[in-house]
Amino acid sequence: NAGAYDFRQAAAIECRRNSLVFELISSLLSDKKAYISDKYSNLTKLNTLNEIIALITNDPKNIPDMNSAAQMAGTSYYNFSRIFKEATGMNYSEYTNTVRIGYAEGLLMNTELTIAEIAEMSGIDTASYFTKLFKQVIGFSPTEYRRMYKGT
């Protein structure tokens, strides 16, 4: 079906564009050339929050859980959760999953690694959960996404 192919191709292009934007934002945050806006004057841990975000984007396999991230920020779990969502527009789990899937997109497009290897490198324990999460975030399975991007 030519219409379905055009839709899938357009979706693949959109996913690639989103991946490139994500990579740019991650790079700017990592290089400390951009910072997440602080809406709270009482938050003196903005640099710590940026460091946590840089840690997340630089090492998707070893993302700290939210309890650990809150401890690193020197605040409670609930306060960190609120501040993180206000600063990023996403809750911690959504953000970390977006980072992991963005990282996986790059691996799918640029390597011949298996889905299981990409899942592991992205910090996701099982290939089945990785596939489910990838499809939830991107709209296609990792295999479909790779096929669309590589045109095979």
Side-chain angles (χ1 to χ4, degrees):
N1 182 332
Y5 178 76
D6 290 343
F7 169 75
R8 287 178 174 243
Q9 187 176 25
I13 290 168
E14 175 77 12
C15 288
R16 177 64 182 141
R17 188 185 77 207
N18 291 345
S19 178
L20 290 170
V21 169
F22 172 77
E23 287 176 37
L24 174 63
I25 291 169
S26 296
S27 177
L28 290 171
L29 287 170
S30 298
D31 294 343
K32 298 188 180 202
K33 293 180 180 170
Y35 295 91
I36 292 182
S37 173
D38 178 18
K39 293 183 179 182
Y40 298 99
S41 59
N42 65 348
L43 178 63
T44 59
K45 306 287 186 192
L46 183 59
N47 285 337
T48 303
L49 184 59
N50 281 313
E51 289 169 12
I52 292 168
I53 289 169
L55 177 66
I56 292 167
T57 57
N58 289 333
D59 193 4
K61 185 175 182 178
N62 295 306
I63 293 175
D65 64 24
M66 198 161 101
N67 278 325
S68 299
Q71 287 177 349
M72 291 166 58
T75 189
S76 72
Y77 177 94
Y78 298 103
N79 193 42
F80 179 78
S81 176
R82 181 180 56 79
I83 292 167
F84 192 90
K85 181 155 184 150
E86 283 295 321
T88 64
M90 292 185 228
N91 70 38
Y92 191 78
S93 177
E94 290 170 328
Y95 188 85
T96 57
N97 285 338
T98 300
V99 168
R100 286 182 169 126
I101 297 305
Y103 179 73
E105 281 183 282
L107 294 174
L108 284 166
M109 292 182 287
N110 299 309
T111 72
E112 297 301 322
L113 295 169
T114 67
I115 302 303
E117 291 170 323
I118 291 172
E120 182 183 341
M121 292 176 72
S122 301
I124 299 171
D125 293 334
T126 65
S128 61
Y129 179 66
F130 169 75
T131 298
K132 178 182 175 180
L133 183 61
F134 192 94
K135 191 167 188 170
Q136 179 183 348
V137 172
I138 301 298
F140 301 97
S141 73
T143 303
E144 290 170 328
Y145 183 83
R146 178 179 268 168
R147 212 175 288 133
M148 286 186 296
Y149 180 75
K150 293 198 172 191
T152 60

